Amino acid sequence: MTQDRSVRVLGDNTEPAKGAWLGLAIRAVLPEPDDAPELPVGEAPPPLAAFLDSGLMSRHPSIKPYLNHEDSVDLTDEGTLEDLAGHGTVVALIFLSAFSAAERVRYEGNVVNIKIAGSDGRGSKASMIAGLEHLERLQEKYPERRIVANISAGVYGTTFLGQPCRGRCRVCRTALRVADAGVLIVAAAGNAAGRTTCPAVAGLDKKDVGIFAVTAPDLPFAGVGDFGSPGRLDAHPWLVAPESAGDVGDERAMDPDDVAWCRSALDGLRAAPADDGDLAHLAGVLHERLGETDAALADYVRGARCGHPRAAVAAGRLERARGNDDAERALYDLVPAAGLAVAQNNLGVALRDRGRTGEALRAFELADEYGEPEGTYNLGCLLAATGQTVEAEKVHARAAAAGDGRAANNLGALLEGRGDHEGARAAYQRSIDLGVVEGHTNLGRMLLTVDPTSERAVQLLSQAADKGATSALLVLAGALLEQGDAGQARNVLLRAESLGDAGASFHLGILLREQGDLAGAAEAWERGAAAGHAGSAHDLGLVHYHAGRFAEAKAAWELSAALGDHRAVGNLEVLARQVRNLS
C-alpha cells in the first residue's frame, strides 16, 4: 500500500538541508574570466542562478530586482511561485550576500525560481526530477550561458530493498544528464552523518561531472565530489525550518558573519507591509534562529492574523512548547477556512510523526472537512495504518473520485486485501488513469495471482518498468518464468540490476543456478552482496563453502549476518565447529 509520499524539502525520509553555502561554492567553481569559454562577439553573458527549493518571495526587497519571471516555474500544486515556507528565500539571500554590490548587478533579472516544495516544506521525488528537467530545457534555451543550480534539498535515495543509493536512482540519473548538458549543480549533501542525499550522491559516484556535493567538514559522510565548504556545522542555521530542527538557535553559537546577514535580512523585512503574512513568517524564522523566541512568536502571530497558515502552525508550536495548548488551538481561528485546511493537515502530519495518533486523526478529519486534498489522503492512510480499514476505504474512495490517484491505488490494496478483486481491479485502473505508476505494478501483480499467463499483466508491468518502477521488473521476471520464458526473464532481471536493484541480482543468481550456471550465479550474488543484499551474501557464502573456500564463505556470511540474515549466523557457528574439528 502506498503510504504518505509527501516529503520535506529534502525528499523521502529526510529533513531540510544544512550547509548549502552556495555563494562560497559558486566562487569556487565558476570559471575565472580567463578560463571562461570564448564567445564569437561581445562580452560573456551573465550567468543564470536557479534555485530548486520552496519558491522565492517576489516582493522581498532584496530578491525582487534579481528575479527572472519568464523562466521561473511552479512544480507544486499550490498554483503560486511565492515562497510560503521561507526556506528558498533565505537560501537565495545567502547566495546574493556572498557577492559585493557591484558583483550582484550581474544577477539582476537572472535568478530563476524553480519551486519544487510547498508551504509545508515538502516536495517529492517527482517534483525534484521535474525541476532538474526544467534546468535541462533552460540550458537548451540559453546554450551560451552558464546556468548554476542551487539545490539546498535532496532525497535520501534507496534501492528497492532499502539500501542507500549509489548514484543510480532516477534523481541522480536525471541530475547526471542535466550536468552533462552543461548545467553546474551545487547540491546539499544532507544532515545525517554517514548518509548523503541525492542528487549530491551523483557527485560522489562520478567526480568528473559538474555536480558539487556541499557539506560542513564537521559532518562526516562518504566524501564530497569536487567541493566541500568551509565553516562549522551550525553555520547558516536558519536553513533548517524550525519545525524539524528541534532546538531553537542561539546567536552566541553562530558565526559572526551569519549573525550579521541574519540581522541584515531582518532590517530589510522591517520595510515590508505589516499585513504581509509571507514576510511576517520569514521574520519569525529568522528571529527564532537567533534564539529570540518572543520576537519570533510575535512575528508568527502577526502572520497568522494575516491568514498565513504556516505562520499559525509555527506560532502554535511555540505556544505548545510553553505548555499553552489552548493558545495553539486558538491560533487556528485567525486563519481563514482555506488556510485552516492546510494548517490542520500540517498539524496532523506533525502529530502523526510524534506518535499522537488520535490527535492526528482529528486534525486530518478537520483538514478533510475544510476541503484539503492532502488531509483527505493522509486521513485515509492513517485510518488504514490503525486497522480502521472500512473507514479508510470510504475516505480513499472519496479521494479517488476527486482525482487522487494515490488514494485510488491505496483503495485497490485495501479491496484486494479483503478478496474483492473486481473492486480492486477498478481502483487500480483508476489510479493508472490518474498517472500513478504503482497502479500498473499492483494491477499486474494481482492479475498474475489469478492467471500466471496473463498477457495484460505483462503489459502493465512492462509499462511500470518503462516509468522507472524497478519493483515491477521483478514481478515481470516472475511472470515470464511462469510462462516458461527464462531467457526473457533473465534479460528483465539484468535490466533491473542495471537500474540499481540489488534484489534483481539475488533472483538472477537463483535463475542461473537453476540453469546449471553456478559460476554465473556466484557472480550475480557477489554483485548483490556488494550492493548490500543479505540473501545474495548468504548464497554466495554457500557457493564458497561447498567449494572448500572457508575463508571466503566466512566473509560472505559475516556480511549477510550484519545485513540481518539469521541463517548466516547459524552457518557461521557450523563453520567454526568444522574448522576447529579440522585443526
Side-chain angles (χ1 to χ4, degrees), residues 238-417:
W238 60 84
L239 280 178
V240 182
E243 287 82 350
S244 60
D247 299 327
V248 298
D250 183 345
E251 181 173 330
R252 292 168 299 178
M254 294 171 63
D255 185 274
D257 289 340
D258 299 332
V259 174
W261 282 115
C262 198
R263 293 291 179 203
S264 176
L266 284 169
D267 288 341
L269 290 173
R270 289 194 180 95
D275 59 351
D276 191 318
D278 293 342
L279 300 186
H281 173 258
L282 178 57
V285 171
L286 294 172
H287 275 302
E288 189 169 2
R289 282 304 160 206
L290 289 169
E292 299 168 353
T293 54
D294 289 340
L297 179 58
D299 287 326
Y300 288 146
V301 170
R302 179 164 56 88
R305 286 175 176 158
C306 296
H308 193 286
R310 190 158 173 79
V313 171
R317 173 178 47 77
L318 291 181
E319 291 286 17
R320 183 169 65 248
R322 299 180 179 192
N324 301 331
D325 291 339
D326 292 338
E328 176 189 4
R329 301 286 179 179
L331 281 163
Y332 292 112
D333 294 335
L334 302 174
V335 184
L340 178 58
V342 175
Q344 286 292 349
N345 179 64
N346 291 349
L347 178 62
V349 171
L351 292 169
R352 181 201 61 199
D353 293 347
R354 293 185 179 94
R356 294 161 64 176
T357 304
E359 294 172 86
L361 281 171
R362 179 55 183 156
F364 288 144
E365 286 170 353
L366 286 173
D368 176 38
E369 180 181 336
Y370 288 121
E372 167 56 31
E374 281 299 308
T376 306
Y377 174 71
N378 286 331
L379 174 60
C381 290
L382 192 53
L383 285 170
T386 54
Q388 303 176 65
T389 55
V390 175
E391 293 80 1
E393 284 183 20
K394 294 177 181 177
V395 172
H396 278 322
R398 281 196 291 107
D404 192 325
R406 304 166 302 168
N409 184 60
N410 283 4
L411 176 62
L414 290 168
L415 294 172
E416 183 184 358

Side-chain angles (χ1 to χ4, degrees), residues 25-295:
I26 296 303
R27 287 177 178 275
V29 300
L30 276 180
E32 295 297 327
D34 292 341
D35 300 326
E38 293 185 4
L39 297 174
V41 293
E43 297 181 355
L48 285 178
F51 293 85
L52 279 70
D53 214 291
S54 59
L56 297 174
M57 292 181 181
S58 63
R59 291 167 290 173
H60 192 291
S62 297
I63 295 289
K64 186 176 180 179
Y66 303 97
L67 280 176
N68 172 339
H69 296 282
E70 177 184 348
D71 295 315
S72 295
V73 61
D74 173 27
L75 299 173
T76 71
D77 57 3
E78 291 189 333
T80 176
L81 281 163
E82 291 299 318
D83 181 6
L84 305 181
H87 187 277
T89 299
V90 176
V91 171
L93 289 172
I94 294 170
F95 165 69
L96 292 169
S97 72
F99 301 94
S100 68
E103 292 172 321
R104 282 199 297 272
V105 172
R106 299 191 74 206
Y107 289 96
E108 290 183 357
N110 291 312
V111 170
V112 180
N113 176 12
I114 303 177
K115 183 173 178 179
I116 63 171
S119 62
D120 58 355
R122 292 174 180 266
S124 66
K125 287 182 179 178
S127 62
M128 173 72 81
I129 291 169
L132 290 166
E133 291 173 340
H134 186 66
L135 289 172
E136 189 173 27
R137 289 190 291 272
L138 285 179
Q139 191 66 79
E140 292 175 357
K141 181 178 179 180
Y142 303 109
E144 78 287 358
R145 301 183 68 175
R146 165 66 86 182
I147 298 178
V148 182
N150 171 62
I151 309 178
S152 290
V155 177
Y156 283 127
T158 59
T159 65
F160 177 60
L161 294 178
Q163 299 302 312
C165 171
R166 295 171 181 266
R168 293 183 289 275
C169 70
R170 287 188 65 200
V171 171
C172 285
R173 294 201 309 273
T174 305
L176 287 168
R177 190 179 72 240
V178 172
D180 187 60
V183 177
L184 180 67
I185 297 174
V186 182
N191 299 343
R195 298 190 65 192
T196 308
T197 55
C198 304
V201 171
L204 314 182
D205 184 61
K206 297 182 180 295
K207 297 189 178 183
D208 57 344
V209 299
I211 300 177
F212 297 79
V214 186
T215 188
D218 295 9
L219 187 61
F221 68 112
V224 296
D226 302 282
F227 179 79
S229 78
R232 299 196 316 276
L233 176 60
D234 59 2
H236 303 310
W238 60 84
L239 280 178
V240 182
E243 287 82 350
S244 60
D247 299 327
V248 298
D250 183 345
E251 181 173 330
R252 292 168 299 178
M254 294 171 63
D255 185 274
D257 289 340
D258 299 332
V259 174
W261 282 115
C262 198
R263 293 291 179 203
S264 176
L266 284 169
D267 288 341
L269 290 173
R270 289 194 180 95
D275 59 351
D276 191 318
D278 293 342
L279 300 186
H281 173 258
L282 178 57
V285 171
L286 294 172
H287 275 302
E288 189 169 2
R289 282 304 160 206
L290 289 169
E292 299 168 353
T293 54
D294 289 340

Side-chain angles (χ1 to χ4, degrees), residues 475-507:
V475 181
L476 177 58
L480 291 168
L481 286 173
E482 287 287 340
Q483 296 172 13
D485 193 346
Q488 188 60 27
R490 176 177 178 173
N491 291 337
V492 169
L493 289 171
L494 285 169
R495 179 183 173 192
E497 187 181 42
S498 70
L499 294 174
D501 194 318
S505 303
F506 173 68
H507 291 292

